[in-house]
Structure formats: structure tokens, C-alpha cells
Amino acid sequence: MHYVNAKSILSPNNGMNLYRGCSHGCIYCDSRSNVYNMDHAFEDIEVKANGPELLKKALKNKKEKVMIGTGSMTDPYIPLERKMQNVRESLEIIYKYGHGFTCITKSNLILRDLDLLKKINEKAKVVIQMTLTTYDEELCKILEPNVCTTRERVEVLKILDKHNIPTVVWLSPILPFINDTEENINRILDCCIESNVKGILCFGMGMTLREGNREYFYKNLDYHFPGLKEKYIEIYGDSYGIASPNHKELMKIFYKRTNEHNIMNNVDEIFEYLHEFPRKDKTKQTTLF
């Protein structure tokens, strides 16, 4: 890890990243892509030393209450957070100034902050977004080796539901010839239904590959799935969007089951829900991050 002093912490749409880089080791991670211009090793986590201080200043001066989001580039609950507690400090600031909170994570470390999440949700709004890709526990350990498994994440979803904190699942990515099976999708949907999730974000049954993350992904394919890299190259070449050959059938299952259980499945609708800060005056314009 290494420290930097940032000039700002919130994006124009009220997103923040307290860390840059990740140690979860997910073999498909798009954040490794060269397009993001990371000038340090991906596992050498960059810590914004003044992140909470900048957040306090930004929220103290904000006239309108908003949803603060994190996790789009780096999981906020990487193991380093156990020691740094920058996310927890940020939650305390968000609660103090009456804003809402949403994040994307794969880690059950988020339960450490359940007390603060409950307080923010009672005062404003919290939505926790959890990534689920692979029901099979052993396969999960290969695809996402340094973070809690699907079973543990589902337990988090159930605990959050018990405490009336709404959740959204990212059903992504689905890797062709690896986890793109009807059994896997159905089992994940079973978990979502049992956990009473509010919505499921699915951008199609497939994944993305571009320079930076493609090389890392192929290296892992060679190690864990010998011969599969060559199949990817033959079928997809250098394509950015990699669709599963089972895409149509799996999407039919996805829409059928989510509709049956009244789970939101429209991407735009879910993002609107994530970004909407609850207001007494419903005529006011919704603020998006």
C-alpha cells in the first residue's frame, strides 16, 4: 500500500473512491484495464490519506442531501479496510450530515459497519449492492480467490434484509464456458429470492475484456482452465464485449424468475432507485450521483 493526498474526493455525481487498486484477485476484473491509467501495481493499494477529511468538507458545505456512492472502481471493503477504517469513518461523516449511502462490494466485512448502516438508513437511506457470479463454492474460490464466497455473501444479504436495509445484486460477470449455465443462474436467483433483494442488475450474460484485464484473465485461464484461452481467442478475438453463447436462454430465465417474484430487473429503474434520496417534498428534483 502507499498513501497519496487527493485534491478532491467526490465526483460530480457524488461517487467516491477511498482506495485505488484491489487485493481480491478476481480473475475477470475490469478495473485492471489500462484505460483507467493506474500508474502503480494493481495490488499496491493507493490510500487517499485525506479522504475522510475531504468528504467532511464536501458534505458540510452541500446544500442538498444526496446519496454517496462507492465501490464502482475498487471494493471499499478490501482487507486493508480492517486496519485503515476509512470507510467506517466516512460512514460516520455521512450520518452526521444526513446524507444517504450505497456501495458495491463482495465482502462480508461490511457487517462490521452494520450499526452505522442501520443509523444512516433510519435517518436517510442505505442500499447495499452485492456481486454474485458463481453459486459453486469451489469455482467461486477460483474466480474470486481472496474474498468471501457466494454463500457468505448471501448470508450478508439475509442479515441486511433482517435489519430492513435494502439490497441489490450485481449478476455480473458471467464467463462463457465457465459459469454460464442454467443451473448457476437459477441457483443464484434462488439466493436472491430467499434474501428478498430489491433488484438484480444484469447487463447481459457475458463479460468485458480489454487491454490490461484481458492479459490477467488469460493468464488465469491457462492456469485453471487449460485450453480455454485458445477457445476465447478463436471465438471472440479482441472484442470488448464477450457474450455467452447461452445468452438468450439465460436471459429468458432471468426475466421470467425476477418478474415472478417482483424483483426489479430494469437497469435504468434500478439505478434511479439507487441514486434517489428520499425527500418529504416529492416534487423536488431527484439528485443522481
Side-chain angles (χ1 to χ4, degrees):
M1 59 163 284
H2 63 280
Y3 293 97
V4 297
N5 282 315
K7 294 181 179 179
S8 62
I9 192 65
L10 288 184
S11 72
N13 293 320
N14 302 307
M16 69 173 180
N17 282 301
L18 297 163
Y19 304 111
R20 196 166 188 221
C22 189
S23 55
H24 286 343
C26 303
I27 72 171
Y28 50 72
C29 183
D30 178 71
S31 293
R32 292 180 180 272
S33 300
N34 294 347
V35 69
Y36 299 118
N37 299 314
M38 191 174 295
D39 58 2
H40 57 85
F42 193 69
E43 287 78 12
D44 178 19
I45 310 299
E46 181 177 282
V47 180
K48 295 180 181 178
N50 58 340
E53 177 186 341
L54 289 172
L55 181 65
K56 182 177 181 179
K57 182 178 179 181
L59 296 190
K60 183 179 180 180
N61 296 326
K62 244 186 199 314
K63 296 180 180 179
E64 192 172 19
K65 304 301 182 186
V66 298
M67 294 292 291
I68 305 299
T70 190
S72 60
M73 283 296 298
T74 297
D75 192 320
Y77 285 99
I78 52 178
L80 184 62
E81 167 61 18
R82 293 185 186 275
K83 178 180 74 172
M84 301 301 301
Q85 298 202 40
N86 284 343
V87 176
R88 184 167 180 86
E89 186 176 353
S90 297
L91 288 173
E92 291 171 343
I93 295 167
I94 290 169
Y95 174 69
K96 178 179 179 180
Y97 292 105
H99 295 272
F101 177 74
T102 185
C103 75
I104 309 168
T105 186
K106 294 186 178 90
S107 176
N108 57 2
L109 178 57
I110 193 171
L111 291 179
R112 179 202 65 185
D113 297 333
L114 182 59
D115 59 330
L116 282 169
L117 296 174
K118 288 167 61 177
K119 289 169 66 176
I120 296 171
N121 195 46
E122 290 167 1
K123 187 177 182 179
K125 177 182 173 182
V126 167
V127 185
I128 301 304
Q129 305 167 60
M130 184 70 72
T131 300
L132 301 180
T133 65
T134 308
Y135 182 81
D136 182 275
E137 291 287 279
E138 295 308 311
L139 180 58
C140 181
K141 292 173 185 177
I142 292 173
L143 302 185
E144 301 154 345
N146 304 325
V147 67
C148 69
T149 63
T150 298
R151 189 172 301 164
E152 294 170 299
R153 293 178 222 171
V154 172
E155 184 60 26
V156 172
L157 292 173
K158 292 180 178 179
I159 291 172
L160 293 171
D161 179 56
K162 180 180 177 181
H163 291 280
N164 299 313
I165 296 175
T167 57
V168 165
V169 161
W170 286 66
L171 182 57
S172 174
I174 301 301
L175 314 180
F177 316 110
I178 297 177
N179 64 344
D180 59 338
T181 66
E182 290 189 13
E183 180 184 12
N184 183 52
I185 300 305
N186 273 313
R187 297 295 290 273
I188 292 176
L189 291 173
D190 287 342
C191 293
C192 293
I193 293 164
E194 293 167 7
S195 305
N196 194 32
V197 303
K198 183 80 173 179
I200 303 176
L201 282 164
C202 179
F203 302 92
M205 299 295 172
M207 64 181 301
T208 58
L209 282 179
R210 51 187 166 188
E211 188 177 357
N213 79 311
R214 179 184 287 111
E215 292 79 1
Y216 187 78
F217 179 65
Y218 281 170
K219 177 182 175 181
N220 278 276
L221 288 189
D222 280 340
Y223 184 79
H224 296 290
F225 308 96
L228 191 52
K229 177 184 74 175
E230 288 73 23
K231 190 172 183 178
Y232 268 72
I233 293 172
E234 178 183 356
I235 296 174
Y236 302 112
D238 292 330
S239 297
Y240 171 58
I242 308 296
S244 164
N246 304 324
H247 168 77
K248 289 185 179 179
E249 293 79 7
L250 296 179
M251 289 304 295
K252 286 180 182 178
I253 293 172
F254 170 73
Y255 284 120
K256 180 177 184 293
R257 298 202 63 198
T258 50
N259 286 333
E260 286 175 348
H261 292 274
N262 296 314
I263 298 173
M264 286 194 294
N265 57 27
N266 179 280
V267 171
D268 292 336
E269 181 185 2
I270 295 173
F271 276 123
E272 181 178 357
Y273 167 71
L274 290 172
H275 302 160
E276 182 181 29
F277 187 87
R279 305 183 189 285
K280 293 181 181 179
D281 182 358
K282 297 298 183 180
T283 63
K284 289 184 179 180
Q285 183 178 0
T286 297
T287 299
L288 305 181
F289 71 75

